[in-house]
Amino acid sequence: MSILFELLEALLSQSAVDIIIESILTGSVVLFLLYGVHGGSRTIKAPRIGKSPWGMGLARARKEFTKHGKRLTEEGYARYKDSMYWVQTADMDRLVLSNKYLDELRKLSDVYLDSKYYTASETMLNIVNRSIAKVIVGEPLCDNETWLRTSLDTTVYTGLICSDLLKYPAFLRPLVYFFAKSRKILDDNFTRAQGLLYQAFQERQRGGGNVDILQWLMDSNKADHLDVPFLTNQTLFVATAATRSTAASIVNTTFDLIAFSQYQEELREEIDQVLIGCGGWSLDAIQKMEKLDSFIKESQRLNHHILLSFNRKVRRDVTLSDGLTIPSGTFISTSAYWTARDPDIFEGGDQFLPWRWFNLRKAAERAGKNVTPYLSTSTSPENLHWGYGRNACPGRFMASTEVKLIVAWILKHYEIAFPDGQSGRPESFFVGERVIPSPSQKMGLRLRQK
């Protein structure tokens, strides 16, 4: 059978593949309608935002959200932030719940909910890819150009394969996947990465002195012989997860540093003072850059990388404290982007206040209270940059340190600016539920005079 598929792939042009897919899609309309597109929406009543996916409207509803997801989620939040609403996103029909339910939902066992993790940002990937490589695979592989390109391409094409598949109904995706160009590239990347990591494993031993994720994966693999394909998959997964959203945070923070350039010198003064006090760059020094931490957290608040968060599939019927019963099979979400900008929650919701979290932190210190809620690594139902609950981003502490280190290094060593004539930060791109910092924005860099 595999030989047959290889022959088909070699003989069929892309246009022929498209015709086959379209024919199958057309011939499967009745089956798809019987299969259903709503799941839990047939048994829980809530208002709908946007076009209905019922009947023949699924493609139209998905297209509307892809183009106008920002407007639809803003309308949904404005009208139903204290209750719930249905919206057809680019991939599924979602029940978007009020954030008041988050504390209840996060405590549910995994037998009730599946996690879905999302990432975002196409820029700053090279810098982040290189910096994260040393943490993941260590020396000498972190300097290997083939590894760096393979890791970066895996990050990019993982996003592309998702986009490719979302265009089609779920039952057609295995066929689309087989012929997708992005799938072929990912397969080639995996083979190349496996060869590089096999060589790295040969040069190491369990319990070795390397301080990186690759060594940890080796030490955690208890089989008599290392499962190289499994470890390759794990390594590439970590690299993908650690790159895209981290890059987006750095881009957004840099845009805000330029747009609010009046705060740059104050941050540089803090960086210089901390480095003198700590004797140079160190984890302790990074943690003591409190104003920088506040600036980054405020940038994260206003620049969430997704419109909706806490994305889960309900595996068993769930009844919440107010009597709301969510049936099995329902896809649920909560607002992220609009909650973080709500003036009823944050004073001056749409305003960029760089010392917002620094002032709250100092007030908590004076009162002898916990300062954790005001750190850039913290999570809350109102600020879902890192997610929430048991499945909040487990790598946020490393990612936050990386963001602060790179931003601090840029501030200390470079003058940064937009092109002449531009003062405000560029608008982000809204594609479905993703929020992407402008990938075409140019930024000037010039070494600072000593």
Side-chain angles (χ1 to χ4, degrees):
M1 183 62 73
S2 61
I3 295 175
L4 176 60
F5 275 121
E6 290 174 6
L7 288 173
L8 282 172
E9 182 180 15
L11 292 172
L12 290 173
S13 65
Q14 187 60 46
S15 59
V17 172
D18 291 340
I19 292 172
I20 290 173
I21 292 172
E22 290 175 8
S23 299
I24 294 174
L25 179 59
T26 303
S28 303
V29 166
V30 174
L31 175 62
F32 183 56
L33 293 177
L34 291 174
Y35 173 80
V37 295
H38 286 282
S41 64
R42 292 173 298 193
T43 54
I44 187 168
K45 292 183 178 180
R48 176 171 293 281
I49 294 293
K51 298 185 184 300
S52 171
W54 281 101
M56 299 292 290
L58 179 60
R60 184 178 58 181
R62 284 177 169 172
K63 183 177 180 180
E64 180 189 37
F65 189 86
T66 298
K67 289 185 175 181
H68 305 296
K70 179 183 180 183
R71 174 178 59 78
L72 292 173
T73 54
E74 181 180 21
E75 179 185 349
Y77 186 76
R79 296 172 63 182
Y80 306 115
K81 71 176 183 179
D82 293 322
S83 54
M84 71 194 91
Y85 65 91
W86 285 102
V87 64
Q88 174 65 50
T89 62
D91 54 357
M92 65 187 69
D93 204 22
R94 309 269 190 108
L95 180 66
V96 182
L97 298 171
S98 169
N99 290 49
K100 69 182 181 182
Y101 293 117
L102 274 170
D103 277 319
E104 281 189 78
L105 291 169
R106 75 180 179 90
K107 296 174 183 176
L108 292 174
S109 166
D110 287 340
V111 302
Y112 289 94
L113 303 177
D114 279 336
S115 295
K116 185 177 181 182
Y117 300 91
Y118 299 80
T119 55
S121 187
E122 298 292 336
T123 55
M124 279 269 184
L125 288 176
N126 276 303
I127 294 175
V128 175
N129 185 51
R130 283 183 175 274
S131 65
I132 203 67
K134 187 164 186 177
V135 178
I136 295 177
V137 297
E139 296 178 339
L141 195 54
C142 65
D143 297 319
N144 184 300
E145 290 296 330
T146 302
W147 169 261
L148 291 170
R149 174 50 54 187
T150 300
S151 176
L152 183 58
D153 282 352
T154 299
T155 298
V156 172
Y157 283 96
T158 296
L160 288 178
I161 189 67
C162 292
S163 299
D164 291 343
L165 296 178
L166 282 175
K167 299 173 185 176
Y168 300 93
F171 69 90
L172 276 182
R173 290 172 190 168
L175 178 62
V176 178
Y177 173 80
F178 182 81
F179 291 105
K181 178 182 177 181
S182 49
R183 189 273 304 171
K184 299 172 188 176
I185 293 174
L186 285 171
D187 285 351
D188 290 343
N189 282 343
F190 185 86
T191 300
R192 192 177 304 112
Q194 188 171 247
L196 291 169
L197 291 178
Y198 177 79
Q199 181 178 349
F201 293 144
Q202 295 295 104
E203 297 170 356
R204 297 187 181 204
Q205 58 183 357
R206 287 172 171 161
N210 302 79
V211 183
D212 51 50
I213 290 175
L214 187 62
Q215 186 67 51
W216 177 78
L217 288 171
M218 286 182 64
D219 295 344
S220 301
N221 190 278
K222 301 303 182 183
D224 292 338
H225 301 285
L226 290 175
D227 186 341
V228 177
F230 173 78
L231 292 174
T232 301
N233 186 67
Q234 294 293 95
T235 304
L236 289 175
F237 174 82
V238 173
T240 299
T243 302
R244 189 175 289 272
S245 57
T246 303
S249 290
I250 295 171
V251 172
N252 279 317
T253 302
T254 305
F255 285 172
D256 286 327
L257 281 168
I258 300 173
F260 302 97
S261 58
Q262 65 269 32
Y263 302 113
Q264 289 185 23
E265 286 308 310
E266 190 168 350
L267 288 169
R268 288 188 176 110
E269 289 175 7
E270 179 187 61
I271 293 167
D272 288 340
Q273 290 172 4
V274 168
L275 291 177
I276 292 172
C278 294
W281 296 93
S282 65
L283 179 60
D284 183 49
I286 294 298
Q287 291 174 340
K288 289 181 177 179
M289 296 177 186
E290 298 178 355
K291 287 185 177 179
L292 180 60
D293 190 86
S294 177
F295 193 101
I296 292 170
K297 186 174 178 67
E298 183 72 348
S299 181
Q300 291 172 349
R301 181 183 72 84
L302 289 172
N303 298 289
H304 274 56
H305 52 266
I306 46 177
L307 293 170
L308 305 172
S309 188
F310 203 81
N311 303 296
R312 306 287 192 271
K313 180 180 180 180
V314 179
R315 301 175 65 183
R316 296 183 183 180
D317 289 1
V318 175
T319 300
L320 302 178
S321 59
D322 63 355
L324 172 65
T325 297
I326 308 174
S328 172
T330 305
F331 290 95
I332 63 171
S333 297
T334 59
S335 171
Y337 185 89
W338 297 109
T339 301
R341 290 169 171 259
D342 190 337
D344 292 335
I345 299 174
F346 297 102
E347 181 182 355
D350 275 335
Q351 297 177 31
F352 186 89
L353 303 177
W355 315 140
R356 179 193 300 272
W357 307 99
F358 177 80
N359 293 334
L360 289 170
R361 179 178 186 167
K362 291 305 177 184
E365 287 179 353
R366 289 192 295 270
K369 296 181 179 179
N370 184 15
V371 302
T372 301
Y374 313 117
L375 306 183
S376 63
T377 53
S378 67
T379 66
S380 75
E382 298 79 31
N383 192 344
L384 298 171
H385 178 83
W386 300 110
Y388 192 59
R390 283 190 306 277
N391 294 306
C393 176
R396 65 186 183 275
F397 302 100
M398 182 180 75
S400 178
T401 300
E402 184 181 9
V403 171
K404 288 176 71 175
L405 177 60
I406 292 175
V407 172
W409 183 270
I410 291 173
L411 273 173
K412 180 169 178 59
H413 295 284
Y414 294 93
E415 301 287 349
I416 52 177
F418 292 136
D420 290 344
Q422 179 182 347
S423 57
R425 63 168 289 146
E427 289 290 329
S428 295
F429 288 19
F430 292 81
V431 183
E433 63 190 278
R434 292 181 297 146
V435 186
I436 304 170
S438 174
S440 61
Q441 175 64 53
K442 294 182 179 180
M443 178 180 71
L445 289 171
R446 183 173 62 189
L447 280 171
R448 294 178 66 211
Q449 299 298 317
K450 298 295 184 181

mmCIF file of all heavy atoms in Angstrom, residues 420-446:
data_model
loop_
_atom_site.group_PDB
_atom_site.id
_atom_site.type_symbol
_atom_site.label_atom_id
_atom_site.label_comp_id
_atom_site.label_asym_id
_atom_site.label_seq_id
_atom_site.Cartn_x
_atom_site.Cartn_y
_atom_site.Cartn_z
ATOM 1 N N ASP A 420 12.479 56.720 9.553
ATOM 2 C CA ASP A 420 12.137 58.141 9.652
ATOM 3 C C ASP A 420 10.674 58.370 9.277
ATOM 4 O O ASP A 420 10.175 57.810 8.294
ATOM 5 C CB ASP A 420 13.026 58.969 8.725
ATOM 6 C CG ASP A 420 14.465 59.012 9.208
ATOM 7 O OD1 ASP A 420 14.695 58.670 10.379
ATOM 8 O OD2 ASP A 420 15.347 59.371 8.403
ATOM 9 N N GLY A 421 10.015 59.195 10.089
ATOM 10 C CA GLY A 421 8.630 59.523 9.820
ATOM 11 C C GLY A 421 7.624 58.656 10.543
ATOM 12 O O GLY A 421 6.425 58.956 10.548
ATOM 13 N N GLN A 422 8.091 57.566 11.171
ATOM 14 C CA GLN A 422 7.178 56.686 11.898
ATOM 15 C C GLN A 422 7.433 56.818 13.396
ATOM 16 O O GLN A 422 8.570 56.711 13.846
ATOM 17 C CB GLN A 422 7.364 55.224 11.473
ATOM 18 C CG GLN A 422 6.456 54.262 12.228
ATOM 19 C CD GLN A 422 6.681 52.805 11.834
ATOM 20 O OE1 GLN A 422 7.341 52.519 10.836
ATOM 21 N NE2 GLN A 422 6.129 51.888 12.599
ATOM 22 N N SER A 423 6.364 57.042 14.149
ATOM 23 C CA SER A 423 6.510 57.164 15.596
ATOM 24 C C SER A 423 5.728 56.090 16.347
ATOM 25 O O SER A 423 6.183 55.585 17.370
ATOM 26 C CB SER A 423 6.039 58.549 16.060
ATOM 27 O OG SER A 423 4.694 58.775 15.662
ATOM 28 N N GLY A 424 4.537 55.730 15.852
ATOM 29 C CA GLY A 424 3.715 54.749 16.545
ATOM 30 C C GLY A 424 4.041 53.324 16.143
ATOM 31 O O GLY A 424 4.604 53.072 15.062
ATOM 32 N N ARG A 425 3.718 52.383 17.020
ATOM 33 C CA ARG A 425 3.973 50.983 16.715
ATOM 34 C C ARG A 425 3.020 50.507 15.623
ATOM 35 O O ARG A 425 1.889 50.987 15.514
ATOM 36 C CB ARG A 425 3.863 50.094 17.951
ATOM 37 C CG ARG A 425 2.519 50.015 18.609
ATOM 38 C CD ARG A 425 2.470 48.882 19.628
ATOM 39 N NE ARG A 425 2.477 47.589 18.964
ATOM 40 C CZ ARG A 425 3.058 46.503 19.456
ATOM 41 N NH1 ARG A 425 3.657 46.547 20.615
ATOM 42 N NH2 ARG A 425 3.021 45.355 18.803
ATOM 43 N N PRO A 426 3.447 49.556 14.801
ATOM 44 C CA PRO A 426 2.597 49.062 13.718
ATOM 45 C C PRO A 426 1.446 48.226 14.260
ATOM 46 O O PRO A 426 1.546 47.616 15.324
ATOM 47 C CB PRO A 426 3.546 48.202 12.879
ATOM 48 C CG PRO A 426 4.565 47.729 13.869
ATOM 49 C CD PRO A 426 4.749 48.858 14.842
ATOM 50 N N GLU A 427 0.363 48.191 13.510
ATOM 51 C CA GLU A 427 -0.773 47.362 13.881
ATOM 52 C C GLU A 427 -0.393 45.886 13.754
ATOM 53 O O GLU A 427 0.303 45.485 12.811
ATOM 54 C CB GLU A 427 -1.968 47.654 12.983
ATOM 55 C CG GLU A 427 -2.609 49.013 13.225
ATOM 56 C CD GLU A 427 -3.335 49.075 14.563
ATOM 57 O OE1 GLU A 427 -3.853 48.026 15.008
ATOM 58 O OE2 GLU A 427 -3.371 50.154 15.175
ATOM 59 N N SER A 428 -0.855 45.093 14.690
ATOM 60 C CA SER A 428 -0.649 43.647 14.596
ATOM 61 C C SER A 428 -1.589 43.060 13.551
ATOM 62 O O SER A 428 -2.605 43.663 13.192
ATOM 63 C CB SER A 428 -0.896 42.983 15.952
ATOM 64 O OG SER A 428 0.052 43.407 16.903
ATOM 65 N N PHE A 429 -1.254 41.874 13.054
ATOM 66 C CA PHE A 429 -2.100 41.166 12.104
ATOM 67 C C PHE A 429 -3.021 40.236 12.884
ATOM 68 O O PHE A 429 -2.573 39.514 13.777
ATOM 69 C CB PHE A 429 -1.255 40.341 11.134
ATOM 70 C CG PHE A 429 -0.498 41.150 10.117
ATOM 71 C CD1 PHE A 429 -0.257 42.500 10.303
ATOM 72 C CD2 PHE A 429 -0.013 40.544 8.976
ATOM 73 C CE1 PHE A 429 0.445 43.247 9.373
ATOM 74 C CE2 PHE A 429 0.697 41.275 8.030
ATOM 75 C CZ PHE A 429 0.927 42.631 8.231
ATOM 76 N N PHE A 430 -4.292 40.252 12.532
ATOM 77 C CA PHE A 430 -5.264 39.362 13.160
ATOM 78 C C PHE A 430 -5.693 38.326 12.121
ATOM 79 O O PHE A 430 -6.375 38.650 11.149
ATOM 80 C CB PHE A 430 -6.465 40.145 13.672
ATOM 81 C CG PHE A 430 -6.133 41.042 14.834
ATOM 82 C CD1 PHE A 430 -5.549 42.286 14.641
ATOM 83 C CD2 PHE A 430 -6.379 40.632 16.138
ATOM 84 C CE1 PHE A 430 -5.226 43.110 15.703
ATOM 85 C CE2 PHE A 430 -6.062 41.446 17.216
ATOM 86 C CZ PHE A 430 -5.482 42.684 16.993
ATOM 87 N N VAL A 431 -5.256 37.084 12.317
ATOM 88 C CA VAL A 431 -5.563 35.990 11.400
ATOM 89 C C VAL A 431 -6.275 34.905 12.184
ATOM 90 O O VAL A 431 -5.645 34.175 12.953
ATOM 91 C CB VAL A 431 -4.282 35.428 10.743
ATOM 92 C CG1 VAL A 431 -4.638 34.342 9.731
ATOM 93 C CG2 VAL A 431 -3.471 36.536 10.088
ATOM 94 N N GLY A 432 -7.600 34.820 12.007
ATOM 95 C CA GLY A 432 -8.352 33.906 12.847
ATOM 96 C C GLY A 432 -8.224 34.347 14.288
ATOM 97 O O GLY A 432 -8.471 35.499 14.628
ATOM 98 N N GLU A 433 -7.788 33.444 15.148
ATOM 99 C CA GLU A 433 -7.622 33.812 16.554
ATOM 100 C C GLU A 433 -6.186 34.205 16.889
ATOM 101 O O GLU A 433 -5.884 34.582 18.017
ATOM 102 C CB GLU A 433 -8.062 32.658 17.460
ATOM 103 C CG GLU A 433 -7.237 31.404 17.313
ATOM 104 C CD GLU A 433 -7.859 30.243 18.038
ATOM 105 O OE1 GLU A 433 -7.666 30.138 19.261
ATOM 106 O OE2 GLU A 433 -8.551 29.449 17.383
ATOM 107 N N ARG A 434 -5.295 34.151 15.912
ATOM 108 C CA ARG A 434 -3.900 34.511 16.146
ATOM 109 C C ARG A 434 -3.694 36.014 16.017
ATOM 110 O O ARG A 434 -4.305 36.669 15.182
ATOM 111 C CB ARG A 434 -2.985 33.776 15.167
ATOM 112 C CG ARG A 434 -2.919 32.274 15.390
ATOM 113 C CD ARG A 434 -1.975 31.634 14.395
ATOM 114 N NE ARG A 434 -2.449 31.812 13.024
ATOM 115 C CZ ARG A 434 -1.642 31.970 11.982
ATOM 116 N NH1 ARG A 434 -0.328 32.017 12.152
ATOM 117 N NH2 ARG A 434 -2.132 32.099 10.764
ATOM 118 N N VAL A 435 -2.807 36.552 16.856
ATOM 119 C CA VAL A 435 -2.429 37.963 16.798
ATOM 120 C C VAL A 435 -0.928 37.996 16.556
ATOM 121 O O VAL A 435 -0.142 37.578 17.409
ATOM 122 C CB VAL A 435 -2.789 38.702 18.097
ATOM 123 C CG1 VAL A 435 -2.513 40.195 17.944
ATOM 124 C CG2 VAL A 435 -4.243 38.459 18.475
ATOM 125 N N ILE A 436 -0.513 38.490 15.386
ATOM 126 C CA ILE A 436 0.874 38.403 14.956
ATOM 127 C C ILE A 436 1.473 39.796 14.846
ATOM 128 O O ILE A 436 0.927 40.651 14.133
ATOM 129 C CB ILE A 436 0.982 37.698 13.589
ATOM 130 C CG1 ILE A 436 0.321 36.314 13.655
ATOM 131 C CG2 ILE A 436 2.431 37.578 13.145
ATOM 132 C CD1 ILE A 436 0.169 35.656 12.304
ATOM 133 N N PRO A 437 2.579 40.076 15.527
ATOM 134 C CA PRO A 437 3.222 41.380 15.352
ATOM 135 C C PRO A 437 3.658 41.548 13.905
ATOM 136 O O PRO A 437 4.104 40.585 13.267
ATOM 137 C CB PRO A 437 4.423 41.323 16.305
ATOM 138 C CG PRO A 437 4.666 39.872 16.549
ATOM 139 C CD PRO A 437 3.333 39.195 16.448
ATOM 140 N N SER A 438 3.528 42.743 13.388
ATOM 141 C CA SER A 438 3.776 43.010 11.970
ATOM 142 C C SER A 438 5.093 42.385 11.497
ATOM 143 O O SER A 438 6.172 42.753 11.976
ATOM 144 C CB SER A 438 3.819 44.519 11.718
ATOM 145 O OG SER A 438 4.204 44.787 10.387
ATOM 146 N N PRO A 439 5.034 41.435 10.559
ATOM 147 C CA PRO A 439 6.252 40.770 10.091
ATOM 148 C C PRO A 439 7.061 41.609 9.114
ATOM 149 O O PRO A 439 8.203 41.263 8.819
ATOM 150 C CB PRO A 439 5.718 39.503 9.408
ATOM 151 C CG PRO A 439 4.359 39.887 8.937
ATOM 152 C CD PRO A 439 3.812 40.849 9.955
ATOM 153 N N SER A 440 6.475 42.683 8.601
ATOM 154 C CA SER A 440 7.176 43.499 7.599
ATOM 155 C C SER A 440 7.775 44.776 8.177
ATOM 156 O O SER A 440 8.470 45.513 7.474
ATOM 157 C CB SER A 440 6.209 43.868 6.462
ATOM 158 O OG SER A 440 5.126 44.633 6.954
ATOM 159 N N GLN A 441 7.519 45.044 9.466
ATOM 160 C CA GLN A 441 8.014 46.273 10.077
ATOM 161 C C GLN A 441 9.542 46.290 10.147
ATOM 162 O O GLN A 441 10.168 45.336 10.619
ATOM 163 C CB GLN A 441 7.449 46.428 11.486
ATOM 164 C CG GLN A 441 7.995 47.607 12.263
ATOM 165 C CD GLN A 441 7.632 48.929 11.620
ATOM 166 O OE1 GLN A 441 6.467 49.181 11.348
ATOM 167 N NE2 GLN A 441 8.620 49.768 11.371
ATOM 168 N N LYS A 442 10.157 47.358 9.688
ATOM 169 C CA LYS A 442 11.607 47.518 9.747
ATOM 170 C C LYS A 442 11.999 48.270 11.020
ATOM 171 O O LYS A 442 11.250 49.113 11.502
ATOM 172 C CB LYS A 442 12.116 48.264 8.519
ATOM 173 C CG LYS A 442 11.926 47.483 7.224
ATOM 174 C CD LYS A 442 12.494 48.236 6.034
ATOM 175 C CE LYS A 442 12.318 47.427 4.757
ATOM 176 N NZ LYS A 442 12.856 48.138 3.568
ATOM 177 N N MET A 443 13.164 47.945 11.536
ATOM 178 C CA MET A 443 13.645 48.562 12.771
ATOM 179 C C MET A 443 15.118 48.886 12.614
ATOM 180 O O MET A 443 15.910 48.036 12.172
ATOM 181 C CB MET A 443 13.442 47.603 13.947
ATOM 182 C CG MET A 443 13.953 48.129 15.285
ATOM 183 S SD MET A 443 13.684 46.937 16.626
ATOM 184 C CE MET A 443 14.898 45.682 16.190
ATOM 185 N N GLY A 444 15.484 50.128 12.936
ATOM 186 C CA GLY A 444 16.882 50.533 12.844
ATOM 187 C C GLY A 444 17.653 50.167 14.099
ATOM 188 O O GLY A 444 17.151 50.322 15.209
ATOM 189 N N LEU A 445 18.877 49.664 13.926
ATOM 190 C CA LEU A 445 19.770 49.323 15.038
ATOM 191 C C LEU A 445 21.097 50.031 14.829
ATOM 192 O O LEU A 445 21.674 49.978 13.736
ATOM 193 C CB LEU A 445 20.000 47.817 15.113
ATOM 194 C CG LEU A 445 18.838 46.938 15.580
ATOM 195 C CD1 LEU A 445 19.191 45.473 15.371
ATOM 196 C CD2 LEU A 445 18.526 47.191 17.045
ATOM 197 N N ARG A 446 21.596 50.671 15.863
ATOM 198 C CA ARG A 446 22.893 51.347 15.780
ATOM 199 C C ARG A 446 23.612 51.212 17.121
ATOM 200 O O ARG A 446 23.015 51.435 18.182
ATOM 201 C CB ARG A 446 22.704 52.837 15.449
ATOM 202 C CG ARG A 446 24.022 53.584 15.267
ATOM 203 C CD ARG A 446 23.775 55.004 14.770
ATOM 204 N NE ARG A 446 22.989 55.772 15.740
ATOM 205 C CZ ARG A 446 22.480 56.986 15.469
ATOM 206 N NH1 ARG A 446 22.627 57.524 14.281
ATOM 207 N NH2 ARG A 446 21.803 57.625 16.414
#
